[in-house]
Amino acid sequence: MSSFYNGNIKLSIFGQSHSPAIGVVIDGIPAGEKFDEAALKEFVARRSASNNSLGTQRKEPDEIEILAGVANGNFCGAPFAAIIRNTNVKPGDYSEFSHKPRPGHADYTASVKYNGANDFSGGGHISGRLTAPLCIAGGIFKQLLEARGIYIGAHHERIGNITDTRFDPVNITKDTLDNLHRGELTTTDTDSQDKMRALIEAVRADKDSIGGVIECAALGVMPGLGEPMLDGLENRISRLIFAIPGVKGLEFGAGFDAALLRGSENNDPFTYKNGRVVTLTNNHGGILGGISSGMPIIFRTAFKPTPSIFKQQDTVDLLTKENTTLTIKGRHDPCIAVRALPCVEAAAAIALYDALLDNAKNNI
Ligand SMILES: Cc1cc2nc3c(=O)[nH]c(=O)nc-3n(C[C@H](O)[C@H](O)[C@H](O)COP(=O)(O)O)c2cc1C
């Protein structure tokens, strides 16, 4: 099992949902960069179920312990390491899944791959819990990007059939991100939150779950970041977005809707504005040929409904080799997208900072 990102930045995420701790080791944070520990803790706390009544009943303080890589308030060049201790585990809730795999979860595929030796408790390493260390890494790179005038922010664009107004892909500013309505959900509109909340509570009462879409923007990204073909910005962002469990779709700019358009509708005309080349529309989502155009980078991530639902479901018994049914007990999020929002921002921050280091390496 490998959860290792091997770019200019190297990062390794370790731990299991019910092991003593989960954590991350990061190589490649430039020495001397300022570290704001309070801001990091605040960012990672946005993902925590403790602060969200729409999340799982598994509430944990998610206290970050920094073990290495920081001295006198700065990153010191040594590998950075941090852990979060798992304090609220109930392994008994999961023992059945080693032979009766949950539909929609990774119990079956992991059991085949690791011959049943994988840790099934809480999903083991294949768990939404492992996005906490991803958020530690992303929270750090978000800070480093902000120091360079690059801002990342996201909102819940859709929960089930309830939609929020999308970002204006041309005129979005840092103020737009600062003025998002932030609560247990984050939206551009005031009234969509209440409707989304009501829907999530209704599916939870119905022992079910619901999917959602998170729209993310990165502002202030200079033109010329990213490489064509295999190391394009879309490739790099995608790789990190798909590290988040539950992601099933990703679109940049106009995305799938671009397939419905003519070139004359989809092309974004260039123009000069205050001496800078900009585009009048932004169907390209800020990326052309894998390289940033200088326009806002906009992408949307689709999350499936949480697989662990409390309705009875059909499954198989891998021991008896018979068809059977499963009724899941325990504690689960009714909607993954709710708490995944900072995870999306984190993934974008890691990808963009990694791409910045390309240009530094090549003296661009
Ligand atoms: C923040 C977050 C919380 C999650 N919470 C749950 C949960 O409570 N129950 C569950 O079955 N899946 C949950 N998931 C999703 C599963 O981890 C995921 O569906 C599973 O690992 C299989 O991976 P896949 O959906 O990417 O194929 C969560 C994911 C995230 C990002």
Side-chain angles (χ1 to χ4, degrees):
M1 234 179 250
S2 173
S3 291
F4 187 66
Y5 178 80
N6 190 17
N8 296 311
I9 300 160
K10 323 268 175 220
L11 68 88
S12 173
I13 291 177
F14 62 87
Q16 295 117 249
S17 184
H18 291 173
S19 60
I22 50 178
V24 62
V25 177
I26 312 171
D27 284 11
I29 305 174
E33 293 282 352
K34 198 171 152 16
F35 174 47
D36 185 341
E37 187 171 340
L40 178 69
K41 288 186 167 162
E42 205 177 298
F43 177 72
V44 177
R46 285 171 54 201
R47 180 210 151 274
S48 168
S50 301
N51 308 320
N52 205 315
S53 69
L54 298 175
T56 168
Q57 293 309 307
R58 179 178 173 186
K59 308 289 182 200
E60 303 204 51
D62 283 352
E63 196 66 47
I64 301 171
E65 291 177 43
I66 294 164
L67 305 180
V70 176
N72 305 316
N74 292 329
F75 294 102
C76 65
F80 174 93
I83 59 166
I84 293 174
R85 291 186 196 276
N86 290 321
T87 54
N88 185 354
V89 296
K90 283 194 180 169
D93 288 345
Y94 295 85
S95 45
E96 200 181 9
F97 307 149
S98 61
H99 61 103
K100 285 170 85 174
R102 282 171 291 175
H105 213 292
D107 305 323
Y108 172 67
T109 50
S111 164
V112 171
K113 184 166 175 71
Y114 303 107
N115 295 320
N118 52 298
D119 182 358
F120 287 93
S121 200
H125 189 65
I126 310 176
S127 160
R129 180 109 187 104
L130 274 294
T131 56
L134 184 78
C135 285
I136 296 178
I140 289 172
F141 292 114
K142 206 163 175 264
Q143 287 182 16
L144 303 191
L145 289 170
E146 283 174 10
R148 287 158 183 75
I150 298 173
Y151 298 95
I152 295 171
H155 71 116
H156 290 101
E157 192 258 343
R158 167 183 290 275
I159 301 290
N161 62 349
I162 311 289
T163 54
D164 190 38
T165 303
R166 284 186 178 178
F167 288 140
D168 176 337
V170 174
N171 298 308
I172 180 172
T173 62
K174 180 171 177 294
D175 275 353
T176 318
L177 302 182
D178 290 345
N179 293 326
L180 284 169
H181 302 286
R182 290 183 193 283
E184 295 183 329
L185 292 151
T186 300
T187 52
T188 54
D189 298 335
T190 39
D191 60 341
S192 48
Q193 274 197 24
D194 295 338
K195 293 182 194 154
M196 288 175 177
R197 165 184 294 283
L199 175 61
I200 295 167
E201 278 165 358
V203 294
R204 173 146 62 189
D206 196 26
K207 301 181 175 180
D208 215 333
S209 63
I210 187 86
V213 174
I214 293 172
E215 183 177 53
C216 185
L219 312 179
V221 178
M222 58 293 284
L225 217 59
E227 305 281 339
M229 286 193 78
L230 299 175
D231 250 340
L233 276 189
E234 286 136 325
N235 311 44
R236 289 158 99 136
I237 293 171
S238 304
R239 175 158 182 218
L240 282 146
I241 287 292
F242 278 100
I244 306 170
V247 171
K248 280 294 166 190
L250 181 56
E251 60 176 12
F252 289 86
F256 275 74
D257 284 346
L260 309 174
L261 300 177
R262 295 179 176 219
S264 55
E265 297 167 312
N266 184 59
N267 290 346
D268 302 307
F270 288 110
T271 187
Y272 275 107
K273 188 175 175 191
N274 304 326
R276 265 187 65 214
V277 174
V278 296
T279 59
L280 292 174
T281 49
N282 188 9
N283 291 319
H284 68 290
I287 304 171
L288 290 166
I291 302 170
S292 58
S293 68
M295 292 299 288
I297 291 176
I298 308 276
F299 65 90
R300 284 174 293 281
T301 304
F303 285 86
K304 70 187 197 183
T306 315
S308 301
I309 55 172
F310 301 112
K311 284 182 188 295
Q312 180 177 294
Q313 299 175 82
D314 290 334
T315 188
V316 290
D317 190 320
L318 298 170
L319 296 177
T320 63
K321 304 201 185 315
E322 283 170 350
N323 293 330
T324 184
T325 58
L326 176 70
T327 304
I328 295 172
K329 297 178 205 68
R331 304 165 299 174
H332 294 281
D333 291 279
C335 176
I336 299 169
V338 172
R339 295 197 300 122
L341 190 130
C343 311
V344 168
E345 294 181 2
I350 298 166
L352 289 175
Y353 194 82
D354 197 56
L356 267 185
L357 292 179
D358 280 354
N359 284 14
K361 226 170 42 185
N362 298 330
N363 291 322
I364 294 173

